[in-house]
Structure formats: structure tokens, C-alpha cells
Amino acid sequence: DAKTTQPPSMDCAEGRAANLPCNHSTISGNEYVYWYRQIHSQGPQYIIHGLKNNETNEMASLIITEDRKSSTLILPHATLRDTAVYYCIVRAASSWGKLQFGAGTQVVVTP
Amino acid sequence: NAGVTQTPKFQVLKTGQSMTLQCAQDMNHNSMYWYRQDPGMGLRLIYYSASEGTTDKGEVPNGYNVSRLNKREFSLRLESAAPSQTSVYFCASSDPDRAGNTIYFGEGSWLTVV
């Protein structure tokens, strides 16, 4: 699976949009981009995933560049409950259970 | 919709004792997984079950056994617990027939072996 690079930390004001970048320059054609987050002492929570197109769900939006070498997770209106470590992961759907969680981005939402 | 449910949430064992972590999912997923998470190590796959009736080793299977009891349930057994097995254990499931084969996690089981 391709390696990802994320900033170690990010602050965001409550109510504002949080834009989390991720670089994955070695991504292969069959690899998806997944975003998870982990709030302290809880299990990893799936947020969103995409292959080529931009995606949106009730939690967030995922913007993937045309060359697929980077992506941005957007939390449209951050709340204090969004404080967590966010992980960008690249993997093929066929790689059974293999999830390489890197260091992630520690997001702190402040009042 | 509970998703992935694990029991127990907390457990303290003495070295050499045995125990079973239980996991059940209500999403009708074919595939299930057991991971452990240690500080600074990230998630490591212990065992997985691609479908009912099959199980396979992951990255760190030594000291563990698993049973895919039915489509819903996947248990992890420690036959003779060791302090090195002190960790947080996560069960997860996915549907390989859906685009992306997204993996969904339970809330974790904290295990301490003394």
C-alpha cells in the first residue's frame, strides 16, 4: 500500500471548516483513499473514502486531485467533538484487513 | 444499529490464564478482523476471516486463536496470556462486495496481563 504524509497537528476554531491535507504521491490505480479518525480511548471511526472522484457524506467531504497524488478532507463546521487524530490511508480494496495507520494529524478544535 | 460490538471492554488477566474476546457485527458483513493497538505501533492485524468458515493469519498471530462462529460472530482466544499481550484489541468487519471494502471498527477491549 502507498505511503501517506500528513501534518502532525492542526488547530481549528469551532464552527469553521477544517481542511486536512494528505500526500500520497505513490498511489496505485486500484488504491482507494480512506479517512479515519480516532478519539482518545475509542475505536477508529470511518469517515469517508474515494477512488478518483470527490466524495461527500454527512460527516465530511473528500477532495482528490486529478493526478490522485494528494487529497483533502474537509470537515465543514468543526465542533469540539471533532477533536481527534485523523488518519489518511491508501489501500487496495483487496488487501485483506491491512490498514497502515501512520502518525496522523492531531486536530484540536477550540471554542 | 450497533455496528461492531466487543466484549468485555476491560479485562485483567494473570500470566498463563486464558480468555476469549467476543465480537459480533450486525451489518451482514462477510469479512471480520482482529487487531491490536500498542502505543507507537499503530494497528496490527492478528487474524482475519474473509468469509464464514475461513480464517487466516495476519501480521502478529502468535499466541492467539480465532473462531468464526457464524457470519455475525468472530472470537479471539488467548490460550496462555503473557504480559506482551497487554494491549487494546479491536474487532472490525467489512463487506468485500461493496466498492472500497471499507473496514468498520468496534470500540475496543482493553486487556492487561500481569
Side-chain angles (χ1 to χ4, degrees):
Chain A
D1 296 334
K3 185 178 178 180
T4 62
T5 303
Q6 299 177 250
S9 64
M10 178 179 296
D11 291 338
C12 179
E14 189 177 19
R16 305 292 290 269
N19 295 295
L20 282 65
C22 179
N23 288 322
H24 32 78
S25 59
T26 61
I27 191 170
S28 300
N30 67 337
E31 290 181 319
Y32 288 77
V33 179
Y34 298 83
W35 283 84
Y36 285 82
R37 71 182 182 184
Q38 193 166 20
I39 299 169
H40 183 62
S41 300
Q42 297 185 18
Q45 181 186 21
Y46 164 75
I47 301 172
I48 198 167
H49 76 280
L51 184 62
K52 296 179 181 178
N53 300 321
N54 298 337
E55 301 288 344
T56 296
N57 63 20
E58 65 278 5
M59 290 182 67
S61 294
L62 174 61
I63 308 299
I64 303 174
T65 58
E66 192 169 344
D67 63 7
R68 302 185 70 235
K69 293 184 177 182
S70 66
S71 60
T72 301
L73 177 74
I74 301 172
L75 306 177
H77 304 288
T79 70
L80 299 179
R81 288 178 296 180
D82 291 323
T83 293
V85 180
Y86 287 75
Y87 298 97
C88 169
I89 299 161
V90 171
R91 65 178 275 264
S94 58
S95 58
W96 291 105
K98 189 176 177 183
L99 276 178
Q100 294 289 344
F101 278 56
T105 297
Q106 172 68 63
V107 173
V108 176
V109 180
T110 55
Chain B
N1 187 347
V4 179
T5 304
Q6 300 178 225
T7 56
K9 192 167 179 66
F10 300 98
Q11 184 72 50
V12 178
L13 286 179
K14 294 182 179 179
T15 297
Q17 286 185 320
S18 63
M19 77 158 298
T20 300
L21 298 176
Q22 306 286 354
C23 176
Q25 53 92 8
D26 62 4
M27 296 177 282
N28 201 36
H29 286 170
N30 284 316
S31 302
M32 297 186 74
Y33 314 87
W34 276 105
Y35 297 85
R36 59 178 289 174
Q37 187 175 35
D38 303 297
M41 298 292 291
L43 278 175
R44 291 185 290 172
L45 183 64
I46 305 171
Y47 270 94
Y48 68 95
S49 171
S51 61
E52 186 178 357
T54 69
T55 60
D56 284 284
K57 295 178 180 179
E59 304 169 65
V60 289
N62 292 342
Y64 305 96
N65 286 303
V66 291
S67 296
R68 184 73 184 267
L69 304 171
N70 48 56
K71 189 173 184 179
R72 292 186 62 249
E73 298 173 291
F74 188 40
S75 63
L76 178 72
R77 182 161 178 83
L78 286 69
E79 291 291 353
S80 180
S84 61
Q85 294 178 305
T86 293
S87 188
V88 183
Y89 292 84
F90 292 104
C91 179
S93 70
S94 73
D95 183 353
D97 293 329
R98 292 188 185 176
N101 192 15
T102 302
I103 297 174
Y104 296 88
F105 290 85
E107 287 301 308
S109 295
W110 273 252
L111 176 65
T112 301
V113 183
V114 298

